[in-house]
Each structure stands twice: as structure tokens, then as C-alpha cells.
Amino acid sequence: MKQDFDIAVVGGGLAGLALSIQCVDAGYQTILFEKETYPFHKVCGEYISNESLPFLEKIGVPISSWGLSNINELKISAPNGNAYQFSLPLGGFGVSRYKLDEYLYRIALSKGVTVMTGTKVHDIIFKKDGFEIKTDEGVYYSKLAAGSFGKRSNLDIHMSRPFAKAKPNALNNFIGVKYHIRYLHPINQIALHNFNNGYCGIEAIENGDCCLCYLTTAENLKKSGNSIPSLEQNILWKNPLLKDIFRNAEFIYKKPFTISQVSFEKKSQIEDHLLCVGDAAGMITPLCGNGMSMALHGSKIAFQNIDYYFKNQQDRAVLESDYEQQWKKQFANRIFAGRTLQRLFGNEHMTNYFLQFMQNFPALSSKLINATHGKPF
Ligand SMILES: Cc1cc2nc3c(=O)[nH]c(=O)nc-3n(C[C@H](O)[C@H](O)[C@H](O)COP(=O)(O)OP(=O)(O)OC[C@H]3O[C@@H](n4cnc5c(N)ncnc54)[C@H](O)[C@@H]3O)c2cc1C
């Protein structure tokens, strides 16, 4: 089979863009496929934990010079509006995906990654010693392939991944909604406001704007006649802090960005020899605010294994098992902690009780926050 590229990366979010930049930097012929065209908006809370700061700067994103706010405080409110404050041990910053993904895309292009935008991949077929990548634009060949196609893609269904076939349950069938707004919000704070069966985050991003993003069950939307405005007025506004935001903020876009069928079920890191990275390998609940850091860190782990494979002519099976092991070692406990924490939020009594308890034991709250985060990488 002809192999025009050393590595094909499918999906150009943070994981895919960061992986392709590292690969091309190391001299590998790299192709990246993204079905959308940059810049574009994505449903995401847009808070990045500082654990990613050194890595982002290393791959060429001058975050420190973007004048972003330094977020070091977490405010959490229960569905009745009772609010509690915690300090964030590592902290973070807010930046829109519109800006960050576009910037990474420009770096990838300038370094020589072949970036195929507006190109949807339909199939990734492993054949003996390489991959055949089928797209609208034609077929491409590579020695290795990485799947960084995010939370849920046509490829998950096509590959019959078990999480994509699972019936609705407590870990799947969530929806996400995002707005950019203008609202008076403390620039050093990320707030997480709970409501019945969901939570909504707000923090400052670039240009003095704020990102307002919530996750809730598809059931909540159904109960509201599948209408987002009804969902917000009937359910989110019961939290007085959210009501204030929705009534007094200036909404920058007329309509929100939405996604459905978000799942936190377990996923495999290797799918028919494809190295899965970012959300495609496993997704942490957004209340932890570090899915993006996991996607970036995952790309670093994938790159190190890919580099070792090529330099040492390693066996493909060893590459796959090493990658899977290292991924699990770095992220499995974090994902478990996130899943457990999510169960404590969204119910008024439980959330209030839990938050009061945490407020009384600040050392424990720091421990819990640390359990869902990693160290700078
Ligand atoms: C409601 C919500 C709020 C969140 N808030 C935060 C937060 O505040 N902080 C945080 O750190 N994390 C947050 N996350 C998680 C974060 O958004 C993800 O973990 C992160 O985007 C994962 O990056 P990724 O590169 O794996 O996937 P993505 O960024 O989703 O990128 C995947 C890309 O693959 C492309 N693609 C898919 N299929 C194909 C195909 N067949 N062919 C070509 N391209 C394809 C898509 O268009 C997309 O651009 C949140 C998630 C949700 C749902």
C-alpha cells in the first residue's frame, strides 16, 4: 500500500492540532483532517487549567501575552442560589475556542502540516501495515493514524464503538449549550451555577466578553418542549444567580451553539489500531474544567509514543499497548473522580449539603479539586 504520510490525524480540535504540530516539528509527514473551516465556534466552557500553560507556550501559542485574566477563584451555587467560594490551587484562564483553535491551525499550516479543512472523514481502514483514510475529497494513505474526532463523531457510529450504541442512561444523553455574553463578572473568578439536573459555567474570556456554557440532560430539554428558551426560563432561572445573568447580560450571538448526545461512558484508547486522543479516548465531566488540558496532555503522550515507534522501529502492538497504558495511568483516576463528583451536583438538597461540607473543610475541597486535575506538563 502506498503511504504518502507518516501520520494521519483525524479531527482538528485541540488534541488533533497539538498532535499534528508536534509530529511535523519532529520531521514526520503529517496530514490533518477537519470537517469544519477555521475559525469556528465550539460548545465548550472555555476555561483552561494552568496545567496546560507551559505546553501551549512550547508549541507556539503565546498565551501569556494575550492579556487573559488570571482565574484563581471558584464560586459554586446550589440550585436555590446559595453560593460558596473556593480558591483554585492551580488556577487557569479563559479563552474562546474560536481564537485558540484558529491560532493552532495557523501554527500547523506554517510548520508544514497538510491541513485538509472542510473535509469529513468517512472511514479509517487499517490494512496490514498502514491506514487508508476515506474522505469526500479522496483517499489518503499513512503509516500511523490518530483519531481526535472529539466527543461524538460519525466515525464512532461507523466503527460501532460501544459507547455510541449504548441506550440512554445516567452517563450519556447530555446536551451542551454555549453563548458569548457581556456581563459584569469578576475577572479572577469562574462560577459554576447549579440547576435541576445540570450546571452552567461563566468566566471572562478575551476582549472583556464572558463565556456562558451549560450542560444538562436531554430529558430536561424534552420536558421543556424541546425549546431552549423554555428550558432556560423554566429550569435554569430557578437559580436566582442564573436568572440575573440571563436577564441582564448582553448576548453577543442571537442563537446559542448546541450539541447533543454527550456521553461520559468509558471509551477505548485503541480502535482497530487507531490511536484515540482527546475526547475520542475518554471524556471527563465538564464541571472539572480540564477536558481541554486532557486533550492537550493526551496529544503529548501520543506524540512521545509515535516518535519512539518511528525512531526505534518498534512493533505496532507494543506502541498500542504502551500508549493505552500511559493514557490510563495519567487520566483514568481523574475521569473516575469527575464522574463521582457529577453525581453530587444538580439536586438542590444534595448540592447544598455537599457545598456546605466542603466550605467547612477547605483542605478537603483543595484535595478534591486536585483529584480532577493534573500537574503542569
Ligand atoms: C458543555 C461542555 C463544557 C465544557 N467546558 C470545558 C471547560 O470549561 N474547560 C475544559 O477544559 N473543557 C471543557 N469541556 C471539554 C472540552 O470541550 C473537550 O474536552 C475538548 O474540546 C476536547 O478536545 P478534542 O480535540 O478531543 O475534541 P474537539 O475539540 O471536539 O475536536 C474534535 C474535532 O474533530 C472534528 N471531527 C469530528 N468528526 C470528524 C470527521 N469525521 N472528519 C473530520 N473531522 C471530524 C470536529 O469538527 C472537531 O473540530 C466542555 C465540554 C462540554 C460538553
Side-chain angles (χ1 to χ4, degrees):
M1 188 170 99
K2 67 172 183 165
Q3 293 164 335
D4 302 323
F5 294 92
D6 294 316
I7 169 118
V9 181
V10 180
L14 293 187
L17 285 162
L19 177 60
S20 61
I21 292 169
Q22 293 166 89
C23 288
V24 83
D25 263 347
Y28 301 117
Q29 292 288 327
T30 307
I31 185 165
L32 171 74
F33 301 92
E34 169 53 51
K35 66 181 167 63
E36 307 291 340
T37 308
Y38 302 96
F40 61 99
H41 288 283
K42 236 172 215 175
V43 176
C44 178
E46 304 187 330
Y47 165 81
I48 306 195
S49 153
N50 272 339
E51 66 194 83
S52 292
L53 197 58
F55 177 76
L56 279 169
E57 300 239 337
K58 189 165 170 248
I59 60 171
V61 190
I63 291 286
S64 309
S65 67
W66 280 2
L68 302 167
S69 51
N70 177 21
I71 300 173
N72 54 17
E73 187 179 274
L74 169 67
K75 175 174 173 176
I76 311 186
S77 72
N80 63 0
N82 283 353
Y84 305 83
Q85 254 154 250
F86 304 90
S87 67
L88 283 171
L90 193 56
F93 54 93
V95 63
S96 71
R97 295 296 299 269
Y98 192 82
K99 180 176 167 102
L100 182 59
D101 290 34
E102 151 90 357
Y103 199 91
L104 284 164
Y105 159 63
R106 299 265 161 225
I107 297 176
L109 270 186
S110 70
K111 294 200 170 208
V113 177
T114 304
V115 188
M116 306 290 297
T117 57
T119 308
K120 189 170 182 174
V121 172
H122 297 295
D123 204 357
I124 307 169
I125 304 163
F126 178 73
K127 281 190 174 162
K128 202 169 157 217
D129 57 355
F131 291 85
E132 202 175 285
I133 317 283
K134 292 192 167 166
T135 77
D136 289 336
E137 312 293 321
V139 183
Y140 298 81
Y141 301 92
S142 65
K143 293 176 188 150
L144 290 182
S148 46
F149 34 75
K151 309 164 204 7
R152 180 180 286 265
S153 159
N154 59 314
L155 292 165
D156 293 313
I157 316 275
H158 188 77
M159 292 171 183
S160 292
R161 298 184 83 189
F163 87 90
K165 293 195 298 183
K167 295 227 160 73
N169 62 49
L171 282 177
N172 64 20
N173 220 12
F174 289 88
I175 62 156
V177 179
K178 179 181 96 168
Y179 300 92
H180 281 171
I181 60 170
R182 296 201 176 104
Y183 182 74
L184 212 54
H185 178 81
I187 56 166
N188 70 324
Q189 184 187 82
I190 176 164
L192 194 67
H193 299 302
N194 284 272
F195 55 89
N196 190 23
N197 289 327
Y199 45 84
C200 179
I202 176 171
E203 90 283 341
I205 51 169
E206 69 272 13
N207 304 330
D209 298 339
C210 286
C211 174
L212 181 73
C213 182
Y214 62 86
L215 183 91
T216 188
T217 54
E219 190 54 35
N220 254 0
L221 183 62
K222 203 168 148 200
K223 271 193 230 153
S224 312
N226 288 322
S227 151
I228 298 242
S230 305
L231 164 73
E232 289 164 356
Q233 288 183 26
N234 298 336
I235 300 179
L236 276 75
W237 289 25
K238 288 205 169 122
N239 181 328
L241 301 177
L242 280 176
K243 187 173 180 179
D244 186 75
I245 296 173
F246 275 91
R247 291 184 87 173
N248 295 317
E250 179 192 336
F251 284 76
I252 296 172
Y253 312 114
K254 283 211 173 81
K255 278 189 167 174
F257 299 93
T258 57
I259 44 162
S260 59
Q261 295 184 305
V262 179
S263 166
F264 304 107
E265 295 216 51
K266 276 194 184 149
K267 296 178 182 174
S268 51
Q269 288 76 52
I270 305 290
E271 204 64 64
D272 196 15
H273 304 281
L274 181 72
L275 306 183
C276 296
V277 194
D279 282 357
M283 190 172 169
I284 191 162
T285 53
L287 70 88
C288 303
N290 72 349
M292 286 191 276
S293 291
M294 283 179 46
L296 292 166
H297 197 164
S299 81
K300 183 174 176 180
I301 297 173
F303 165 69
Q304 285 166 342
N305 280 281
I306 289 166
D307 195 36
Y308 190 88
Y309 168 84
F310 281 125
K311 286 200 173 121
N312 299 285
Q313 297 176 353
Q314 196 186 31
D315 189 58
R316 191 182 290 273
V318 182
L319 160 73
E320 292 170 8
S321 78
D322 282 359
Y323 173 64
E324 190 174 15
Q325 249 180 33
Q326 289 167 28
W327 193 96
K328 287 201 164 100
K329 189 169 171 216
Q330 188 59 237
F331 303 123
N333 287 345
R334 248 200 262 187
I335 290 187
F336 176 75
R339 231 181 260 148
T340 311
L341 262 183
Q342 170 134 320
R343 293 205 180 95
L344 298 169
F345 287 105
N347 168 293
E348 184 165 325
H349 295 299
M350 174 100 92
T351 313
N352 256 321
Y353 180 76
F354 174 67
L355 292 176
Q356 263 169 27
F357 179 78
M358 295 297 288
Q359 186 97 102
N360 292 333
F361 295 95
L364 195 66
S365 65
S366 295
K367 246 191 170 161
L368 255 184
I369 293 170
N370 283 333
T372 57
H373 285 70
K375 296 199 169 55
F377 55 93

